[in-house]
Amino acid sequence: MKVKCPTCDKDVVWSADAPFRPFCSERCKLIDLGDWAAENHRIPDKAPIDAALSEEYLAELEQEFIAQDNNFFKH
């Protein structure tokens, strides 16, 4: 079976002999990885952000953290 390299559209034979599949080369694989790292391939979050709920949740987490008498910041 042949697939197109997601980076350069070159044909790639899908087999164990193609170590970078679905990419044609390590170069194309690294280009794609860089695009993900730069957030060029983000998956959009369609959930609306409720700022009040977020602030309330963060406040609860902060209180829980303080209540644990955590020594994390005492170094």
Side-chain angles (χ1 to χ4, degrees):
M1 175 170 72
K2 288 185 180 180
V3 297
K4 295 279 187 187
C5 173
T7 304
C8 71
D9 288 333
K10 181 179 175 183
D11 285 336
V12 179
V13 176
W14 191 273
S15 73
D17 296 332
F20 304 110
R21 67 183 181 269
F23 303 98
C24 66
S25 65
E26 184 175 23
R27 177 184 177 274
C28 282
K29 178 180 165 184
L30 292 174
I31 289 170
D32 185 73
L33 179 62
D35 282 343
W36 278 101
E39 297 186 356
N40 294 332
H41 294 308
R42 288 183 303 205
I43 298 171
D45 181 11
K46 297 184 189 250
I49 296 173
D50 183 346
L53 180 59
S54 296
E55 289 298 319
E56 180 181 322
Y57 180 67
L58 288 173
E60 287 175 14
L61 286 176
E62 182 180 20
Q63 290 304 313
E64 183 179 324
F65 186 76
I66 292 169
Q68 292 176 359
D69 192 30
N70 196 319
N71 292 325
F72 182 78
F73 295 107
K74 296 179 182 178
H75 292 279

